[in-house]
Amino acid sequence: MDSITKTLFDLSDSNYKNFQCKLMPTVDPDTVIGVRTPDVRALAKQLARDKKTDGFIKTLPHKYYEENNLHAFILEQTADFDVCAAQVDAFLPFVDNWATCDCMKPKTFRKNAEQLLPYIEKWLCSNHTYTVRFGIGAIMTYFLDDRFDIKFLERVSQIKSDEYYINMMIAWFFATALAKQYESAVLFIEKNRLSKWVHNKTIQKAVESYRITDTQKEYLKSLKLK
């Protein structure tokens, strides 16, 4: 066991491990150490300043869930956009669960979102569930506010999949779009541009949101597909 993995085991909590495993049914419990996310983030910040982590970043796949999260959090600290984007691109095929996928938000991506677009398009075209999910999440994170354009809603609406974790992210994306860009996003519900499951899940998540008005919620509920 190398020193990084040993450090993670030193931070383990068996009760927290059991809690985590219930949230991640696709992850083998034997690969979960049970380290709380703030502790993994703190370790990542410490290691990001140490060039010795280069070997850790290049050694894929990792065995443990927390090693993957640590990898993701180290990449978040990478300041150079080109280096970070390339490292994320190399790492995504090894991401095997929704939690690792969703927790990775490199700081440089927000500052250089326009440069990220070619990568996002590549990720959306992937055959790997969590690569596609990450691409959708990137649009949701960086392109539903001041960089918004309806073309982003159009692009995500074109994604058709049988994968639960992709469809759930599409629904989350459109529910968020309804909260931030209602007039544009509601058109995709009115025109039935999404699969029935995603359509109804989007409405469900939007109705649960405090960012959508009661009037909007009542209208959305009237659009639910039977």
Side-chain angles (χ1 to χ4, degrees):
M1 183 182 299
D2 65 30
S3 60
I4 291 177
T5 307
K6 182 179 184 303
T7 300
L8 287 169
F9 270 93
D10 289 342
L11 295 168
S12 66
D13 178 332
S14 59
N15 290 329
Y16 187 65
K17 171 180 175 173
N18 294 333
F19 169 74
Q20 281 187 305
C21 290
K22 291 177 182 177
L23 298 177
M24 303 180 301
T26 64
V27 177
D28 180 353
D30 289 339
T31 66
V32 179
I33 299 171
V35 185
R36 296 180 182 276
T37 299
D39 291 334
V40 182
R41 283 192 178 277
L43 180 60
K45 288 184 178 180
Q46 175 187 333
L47 293 174
R49 298 189 292 268
D50 186 346
K51 288 298 182 182
K52 292 179 182 178
T53 59
D54 289 349
F56 175 75
I57 294 298
K58 293 175 182 177
T59 303
L60 290 166
H62 299 301
K63 180 177 180 180
Y64 295 103
Y65 162 73
E66 283 85 357
E67 289 179 321
N68 281 324
N69 284 2
L70 182 64
H71 189 130
F73 296 151
I74 290 172
L75 295 188
E76 285 187 336
Q77 306 301 314
T78 305
D80 184 289
F81 172 82
D82 291 327
V83 172
C84 185
Q87 289 178 332
V88 169
D89 191 50
F91 177 52
L92 282 174
F94 299 96
V95 173
D96 62 358
N97 67 88
W98 68 266
T100 301
C101 176
D102 295 358
C103 77
M104 184 166 52
K105 291 181 169 55
K107 297 175 182 177
T108 188
F109 284 4
R110 184 173 295 281
K111 296 177 182 177
N112 301 280
E114 296 296 332
Q115 290 178 252
L116 191 62
L117 287 172
Y119 285 96
I120 290 175
E121 183 56 34
K122 176 186 176 182
W123 297 332
L124 295 181
C125 294
S126 173
N127 292 321
H128 180 247
T129 296
Y130 298 102
T131 300
V132 177
R133 183 180 171 100
F134 185 81
I136 299 169
I139 298 178
M140 182 172 71
T141 301
Y142 308 119
F143 294 97
L144 288 184
D145 294 299
D146 55 328
R147 299 185 183 94
F148 175 72
D149 189 297
I150 198 169
K151 69 181 181 183
F152 295 118
L153 305 186
E154 183 68 39
R155 182 63 186 89
V156 175
S157 75
Q158 294 169 359
I159 300 171
K160 307 300 179 186
S161 175
D162 294 325
E163 292 288 343
Y164 172 83
Y165 288 101
I166 291 178
N167 286 329
M168 184 59 83
M169 179 55 87
I170 297 172
W172 183 13
F173 171 87
F174 272 97
T176 303
L178 284 164
K180 293 187 173 186
Q181 305 290 344
Y182 181 83
E183 295 302 327
S184 295
V186 74
L187 299 175
F188 289 78
I189 306 301
E190 292 173 335
K191 297 180 180 179
N192 295 337
R193 295 290 306 279
L194 309 174
S195 69
K196 180 179 178 180
W197 189 91
V198 172
H199 177 106
N200 287 340
K201 182 61 69 173
T202 297
I203 292 173
Q204 176 190 324
K205 293 177 79 67
V207 168
E208 293 170 353
S209 173
Y210 67 89
R211 295 181 294 177
I212 292 178
T213 69
D214 289 342
T215 300
Q216 291 169 340
K217 289 178 181 180
E218 289 305 312
Y219 178 58
L220 288 170
K221 284 191 282 189
S222 75
L223 298 176
K224 186 175 181 179
L225 298 177
K226 304 297 184 180

